[in-house]
Amino acid sequence: MAAGTGTGTGTDEAALGYEQARDELIEVVRRLEAGGTSLEESLALWERGEELAKVCRRRLEGARARLDASLAAERADGDGDGDE
């Protein structure tokens, strides 16, 4: 799996799903922990890891917002039924 040395902001991250970003992030961490890379390559990997972590965070925040909205809608619907 390529580490992706470009900044990749915008289009690349927008196209990544949570699972893809997480899997690539795991690979980046493995490569950093294994060592044996030059300083430049390590920095590029670190930067890519930061970008991937942001993608994961945004995807999870979006999922949380959708869940919260769904739960709020259910509570609002339930309040008008008189069943509670």
Side-chain angles (χ1 to χ4, degrees):
M1 183 176 298
T5 55
T7 56
T9 56
T11 309
D12 290 346
E13 277 86 20
L16 282 177
Y18 171 78
E19 291 81 5
Q20 293 170 308
R22 181 201 59 211
D23 291 346
E24 188 177 341
L25 179 57
I26 289 168
E27 182 61 26
V28 166
V29 170
R30 282 188 189 133
R31 290 183 64 191
L32 285 169
E33 288 178 342
T37 57
S38 68
L39 177 59
E40 275 304 308
E41 188 175 3
S42 294
L43 287 173
L45 286 167
W46 179 271
E47 290 169 349
R48 182 62 179 161
E50 289 289 331
E51 293 168 2
L52 292 165
K54 287 178 189 175
V55 170
C56 290
R57 190 176 317 114
R58 281 195 303 268
R59 295 285 186 179
L60 289 172
E61 287 169 354
R64 170 57 69 189
R66 289 175 61 193
L67 286 171
D68 289 345
S70 178
L71 291 172
E74 279 186 28
R75 283 192 294 268
D77 288 344
D79 290 343
D81 290 341
D83 293 337
E84 293 181 47

